Amino acid sequence: MCGEDPMALNVDHLLRTAATLEQALKAIDHLERRDDVMFDLYRNAAIKSFELSLETADKLLRKALKAYGGAPRAVDALVFNDVLRHAGKHGLMDALTVERWLRYRANHNNTAHDYGEGFANETLKLLPQYLSDVRALAPALQAVFDASA
């Protein structure tokens, strides 16, 4: 697989971004005050980890859809919301999980345009469930990659 993306057939990078997110959330939970710079630092780290893991999940889901026989160019042309819907059709996530991922994606799109503190704090509320969903998705993706190897 010369020239192939190094995360082509594994979820290690996705799990690494999830671990980073988890550590940022734990650090926030241990802070006594939310009005100091350490809160801002950990909140920003959590949001960045969320963004990175969402982008990684997008790439991995596309690879999984191709493993199901999706035409590579057609899969590449899908918007992420359609990638999520196709993932649901292939059993990588159930309908409720697809809906949550659609909310995560909408939130991610908003973080690119709204850097306000209120919005960042709203994003934090999504992250514990998101972390759980990422960790549930990883083995489902890995199973697809292992089956197609």
Side-chain angles (χ1 to χ4, degrees):
M1 290 190 206
C2 187
E4 189 77 21
D5 187 340
M7 66 178 175
L9 296 176
N10 71 61
V11 296
D12 293 345
H13 183 67
L14 181 63
L15 291 172
R16 177 73 179 218
T17 60
T20 303
L21 172 57
E22 180 181 40
Q23 291 306 308
L25 292 175
K26 283 181 179 180
I28 288 170
D29 286 343
H30 287 93
L31 289 174
E32 292 181 19
R33 296 180 27 223
R34 301 228 166 195
D35 63 346
D36 68 17
V37 73
M38 294 310 292
F39 175 76
D40 293 344
L41 176 76
Y42 292 129
R43 181 188 60 207
N44 292 348
I47 291 171
K48 186 48 121 178
S49 294
F50 163 64
E51 292 172 348
L52 290 171
S53 64
L54 196 64
E55 291 169 14
T56 302
D58 177 21
K59 290 176 185 176
L60 292 172
L61 283 165
R62 288 174 192 277
K63 290 177 190 304
L65 293 178
K66 291 172 188 175
Y68 281 112
R73 288 186 185 179
V75 172
D76 289 340
L78 293 173
V79 296
F80 189 48
N81 287 356
D82 289 335
V83 169
L84 293 169
R85 290 182 186 100
H86 283 282
K89 288 178 188 176
H90 289 288
L92 290 169
M93 50 180 82
D94 63 33
L96 291 174
T97 304
V98 169
E99 289 303 315
R100 283 195 306 272
W101 278 85
L102 290 170
R103 281 195 308 275
Y104 303 145
R105 178 59 178 186
N107 181 278
H108 172 269
N109 289 345
N110 291 334
T111 60
H113 304 292
D114 183 344
Y115 297 102
E117 183 176 335
F119 185 77
N121 290 334
E122 284 300 311
T123 300
L124 276 181
K125 293 177 186 175
L126 292 175
L127 298 183
Q129 179 64 55
Y130 174 75
L131 182 60
S132 176
D133 285 338
V134 167
R135 291 209 164 119
L137 178 61
L141 288 169
Q142 191 62 58
V144 172
F145 299 149
D146 291 348
S148 67

